[in-house]
């Protein structure tokens, strides 16, 4: 009863899921840190932009954002992320637009986690740094953010796990990742839907569980002892 | 935090003020440039034309598409939360049971449904209902959407409730048993009410997650929710961008109200407890999102 599983490229689909997750995670970490920097900066317009961006994007459903990236940006506004004459245009473009959407969305959660991490740094640290004559960007880069990062590994792990699960949303714009393949398989093999579901559920458990355990261990390891 | 606007930087002197003005101008210029490029592109693709926007000031569009869609979205979210809350509470309590097998079974179920994406739960539930039950297809997608949302969110809420109960002082249980209350009575009359009160902000933020996830059902199962109606409207009027902006605003307003309510609740709770000396925060406390993790539920990506 298991032989039909070999007819489908399950590993390939999960590989796309992993690629989506890794690229989006790196992007969100960078953009989220920049947003957090803006939100605590002394320049009011940057604070305003950061706050507005986070509040708007965080409260929009991810599905709406992904649809907007595909239908709005690509189909309507002709904003594409792959060369239009390339033979793999549709695949590449969909994949990159999905990553763009995930980064835009997930970075708001990275930003908020980081801000709560900044709060775990004792006031004296920032005061001492200022007393030494460090500027705002130096205080943030050298003193506050390194300590903040170490204390938010656990919340960031939650964000990463949520991101891995959220990559399934890319299937609504046709990116060939795990959930799209599952929808196809469950349609074709209607007598084995529980088996198909179990295989994909197991795949996601295998992706998310080690990430949680590993980063939980890292979080304990690097926690700032106070 | 008194005096200077933040402990992260000094109150600006003349030099810093001048520098801040330069930064403001540069950053403002970048924003204006981006806005210009976006608007130019919108205009080129004819998305700014008046007739693309007029559907949204006509009552017909609202009565035919947007309000039914919004109603459907709220129906899915409402059903899900009404079912998920009690189920979540039961599983949260079951994970704290004195009987090992109950603890283990509840733990495995909760961890399993938290680890897998809502979308594949919905797709599976939809196919499962079509294969093994004879619900008609309109109700089937609704049931599938609610099933997926309930399974996932009940598991998250179970962790929230469990963390809430664990955060209560041990004296509560001891005092209850000294009064001769049974285990069930202790749980329902003493622990659960306090845990739910303490976890209210986290529960309200979970509402936001449910509301946002309803859009998954519109995207993947084609239930006639707000997102699906957006596709219908933009198909009718050829106004993709205006439609997405309008439904985006509706979602954002709904969720922003809930998020603000959650942070208000959290601040209200925090004021009740005295903050120990020397732990005042560097910046204004960011809103909710990490509540669950902070409360000790080993985080498996609850609140997004």
């Amino acid at each position: 009863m298991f032989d039909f599983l070999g007819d489908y490229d399950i590993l390939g689909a999960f590989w796309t899921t992993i690629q989506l997750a890794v690229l989006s995670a790196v992007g969100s970490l960078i953009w989220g840190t920049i947003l957090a920097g803006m939100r605590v900066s002394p320049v009011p317009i940057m604070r305003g932009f950061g706050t507005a961006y986070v509040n708007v994007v965080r409260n929009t459903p991810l599905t709406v954002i992904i649809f907007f990236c595909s239908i709005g940006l690509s189909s309507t506004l002709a904003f594409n992320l792959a060369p239009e004459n390339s033979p793999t245009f549709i695949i590449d473009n969909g994949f990159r637009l999905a990553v763009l959407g995930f980064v835009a969305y997930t970075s708001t959660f990275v930003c908020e986690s980081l801000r709560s991490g900044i709060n775990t740094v004792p006031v004296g640290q920032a005061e001492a740094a200022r007393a030494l004559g460090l500027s705002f960007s130096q205080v943030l880069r050298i003193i506050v953010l390194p300590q903040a990062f170490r204390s938010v590994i656990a919340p960031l792990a939650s964000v990463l796990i949520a991101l891995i699960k959220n990559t399934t949303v890319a299937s609504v714009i046709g990116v060939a990742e795990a959930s799209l393949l599952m929808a196809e398989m469950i349609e074709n093999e209607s007598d084995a839907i529980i088996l198909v579901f179990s295989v994909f559920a197991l795949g996601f458990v295998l992706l998310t569980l080690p990430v949680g355990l590993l980063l939980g261990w890292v979080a304990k390891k690097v926690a700032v002892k106070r | 935090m008194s005096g200077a606007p933040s402990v992260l930087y000094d109150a600006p002197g003349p030099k810093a003020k001048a520098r801040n003005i330069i930064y403001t101008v540069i950053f403002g210029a970048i924003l204006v440039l981006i806005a210009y490029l976006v608007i130019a592109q919108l205009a080129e693709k004819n998305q700014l034309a008046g007739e693309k926007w007029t559907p949204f000031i006509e009552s017909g569009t609202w009565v035919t598409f947007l309000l039914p869609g919004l109603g459907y979205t709220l129906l899915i979210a409402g059903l899900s939360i009404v079912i998920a809350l009690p189920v979540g509470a039961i599983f949260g309590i079951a994970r704290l049971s004195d009987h090992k097998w109950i603890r283990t079974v509840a733990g495995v179920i909760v961890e399993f449904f938290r680890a897998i994406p809502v979308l594949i739960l919905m797709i599976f539930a939809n196919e499962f209902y079509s294969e093994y039950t004879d619900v008609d297809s309109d109700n089937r997608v609704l049931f599938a959407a609610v099933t997926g949302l309930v399974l996932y969110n009940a598991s998250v809420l179970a962790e929230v409730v469990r963390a809430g109960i664990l955060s209560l002082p041990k004296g509560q249980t001891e005092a209850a048993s000294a009064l001769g209350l049974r285990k069930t009575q202790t749980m329902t009359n003493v622990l659960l009410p306090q845990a739910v009160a303490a976890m209210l902000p986290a529960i309200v933020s979970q509402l936001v997650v449910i509301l946002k996830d309803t859009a998954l059902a519109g995207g993947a199962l084609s239930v006639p929710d707000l997102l699906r109606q957006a596709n219908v409207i933009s198909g009718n009027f050829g106004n993709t961008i205006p439609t997405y902006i309008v439904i985006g605003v509706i979602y954002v307003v709904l969720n922003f109200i809930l998020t603000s309510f959650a942070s208000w609740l959290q601040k209200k709770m925090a004021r009740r407890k005295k903050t120990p000396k020397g732990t005042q925060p560097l910046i204004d406390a960011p809103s909710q999102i990490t509540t669950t993790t902070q409360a000790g539920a080993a985080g498996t990506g609850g609140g997004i």
Side-chain angles (χ1 to χ4, degrees):
Chain A
M1 68 180 283
F2 290 100
D3 15 308
F4 72 86
L5 290 177
D7 302 343
Y8 298 92
D9 189 13
I10 299 179
L11 285 180
F14 270 106
W15 176 234
T16 310
T17 296
I18 294 171
Q19 283 176 313
L20 274 176
V22 170
L23 289 175
S24 311
V26 173
S28 327
L29 198 60
I30 297 170
W31 180 225
T33 311
I34 297 174
L35 279 174
M38 281 190 196
R39 286 201 73 174
V40 297
S41 84
V43 186
I45 188 173
M46 288 188 180
R47 279 206 302 273
F49 171 78
T51 312
Y53 178 91
V54 168
N55 278 327
V56 168
V57 175
R58 193 178 57 166
N59 285 319
T60 315
L62 179 60
T63 322
V64 174
I65 295 176
I66 295 293
F67 261 125
F68 180 80
C69 284
S70 171
I71 300 174
L73 287 184
S74 176
S75 310
T76 311
L77 296 183
F79 174 82
N80 291 318
L81 294 173
E84 261 168 76
N85 46 13
S86 104
T88 51
F89 166 70
I90 295 178
I91 297 172
D92 287 350
N93 195 39
F95 181 87
R96 289 173 197 173
L97 286 168
V99 171
L100 179 73
F102 290 135
V103 169
Y105 181 78
T106 314
S107 56
T108 62
F109 294 92
V110 172
C111 167
E112 291 302 85
S113 303
L114 262 183
R115 286 206 316 137
S116 66
I118 290 177
N119 267 339
T120 65
V121 180
V123 179
Q125 295 275 340
E127 284 171 348
R130 272 165 54 204
L132 286 172
L134 299 188
S135 71
F136 167 73
S137 70
Q138 283 172 320
V139 173
L140 208 58
R141 268 187 303 119
I142 305 172
I143 311 291
V144 174
L145 274 186
Q147 299 184 59
F149 263 114
R150 287 168 65 178
S151 65
V152 293
I153 302 278
L156 284 184
S158 301
V159 173
L160 176 59
I161 290 168
L163 170 66
I164 294 175
K165 294 188 288 179
N166 278 342
T167 53
T168 52
V169 179
S171 67
V172 299
I173 60 167
V175 177
E177 46 69 71
S179 74
L180 194 73
L181 182 65
M182 180 183 129
E184 183 199 326
M185 284 175 72
I186 227 167
E187 196 103 324
N188 294 347
E189 317 286 342
S190 55
D191 49 342
I193 58 170
I194 294 179
L195 175 66
V196 172
F197 173 70
S198 309
V199 168
F200 281 90
L202 183 74
F204 276 101
V205 171
L206 285 180
L207 283 183
T208 53
L209 212 58
V211 170
L213 292 176
L214 180 73
L215 286 178
W217 176 78
V218 172
K220 279 207 187 99
K221 195 94 179 158
V222 302
V224 185
K225 306 278 187 302
R226 294 213 167 87
Chain B
M1 287 268 251
S2 54
S6 161
V7 274
L8 289 173
Y9 47 87
D10 297 292
K15 256 190 183 171
K17 270 183 188 154
R19 207 167 47 223
N20 282 353
I21 290 173
I22 295 174
Y23 287 145
T24 307
V25 170
I26 293 175
F27 193 73
I30 294 174
L31 286 185
V32 168
L33 182 69
I34 294 174
Y36 170 76
L37 289 176
V38 170
I39 289 173
Q41 189 68 5
L42 282 173
E44 194 194 313
K45 301 290 172 189
N46 200 23
Q47 290 290 320
L48 289 178
E51 76 265 16
K52 305 275 181 189
W53 291 87
T54 40
F56 297 106
I57 47 172
E58 283 160 15
S59 62
T61 317
W62 287 85
V63 174
T64 328
F65 301 112
L66 288 172
L67 291 180
L70 181 62
Y72 206 88
T73 292
L74 294 176
L75 172 73
I76 302 176
L79 279 176
S80 306
I81 190 69
V82 167
I83 304 170
L85 262 179
V87 176
I90 291 170
F91 273 94
I93 294 169
R95 288 201 77 175
L96 295 166
S97 162
D98 288 339
H99 308 286
K100 194 176 175 204
W101 66 272
I102 298 184
R103 270 203 317 266
T104 321
V105 170
V108 168
I109 293 176
V110 166
E111 291 302 334
F112 176 73
F113 284 115
R114 281 170 77 206
I116 56 179
V118 186
L119 187 60
I120 74 168
L121 282 175
M122 282 183 184
I123 295 174
F124 171 69
N126 188 30
E127 205 63 31
F128 183 85
Y129 288 144
S130 97
E131 202 69 22
Y132 296 104
T133 61
D134 45 5
V135 232
D136 62 287
S137 66
D138 283 349
N139 282 325
R140 196 181 67 221
V141 282
L142 173 67
F143 289 173
V146 172
T147 310
L149 288 172
V150 164
L151 288 176
Y152 174 67
N153 289 291
S155 311
V156 175
L157 287 171
E159 287 303 272
V160 171
V161 169
R162 185 170 78 115
I165 293 174
L166 285 176
S167 72
L168 296 174
K170 225 177 155 208
Q172 297 282 344
T173 322
E174 288 166 355
S177 45
L179 286 171
L181 295 185
R182 288 167 183 283
K183 275 194 293 187
T184 324
Q185 286 176 316
T186 310
M187 188 54 82
T188 53
N189 296 350
V190 179
L191 298 180
L192 197 57
Q194 295 188 66
V196 169
M199 283 292 145
L200 216 49
I203 293 173
V204 176
S205 355
Q206 199 58 31
L207 287 179
V208 179
V209 177
I210 294 185
L211 198 59
K212 285 195 291 185
D213 278 351
T214 56
L216 278 176
L221 300 183
S222 308
V223 302
D225 76 338
L226 194 52
L227 176 63
R228 181 57 47 184
Q229 297 293 2
N231 291 355
V232 179
I233 298 175
S234 57
N236 270 357
F237 301 101
N239 55 354
T240 319
I241 304 287
T243 312
Y244 272 90
I245 291 175
V246 169
I247 65 149
V249 167
I250 298 177
Y251 277 116
V252 169
V253 167
L254 280 177
N255 286 322
F256 190 72
I257 294 172
L258 282 174
T259 319
S260 315
F261 181 55
S263 352
W264 176 80
L265 273 176
Q266 197 173 31
K267 275 197 192 118
K268 203 174 134 104
M269 305 270 171
R271 242 184 282 137
R272 277 200 220 151
K273 294 180 212 144
K274 269 186 195 155
T275 325
K277 262 188 186 169
T279 56
Q280 81 261 47
L282 278 179
I283 52 175
D284 287 336
S287 43
Q288 34 85 23
I289 74 147
T290 46
T291 334
T292 353
T293 2
Q294 282 164 349
T300 315
I304 302 190

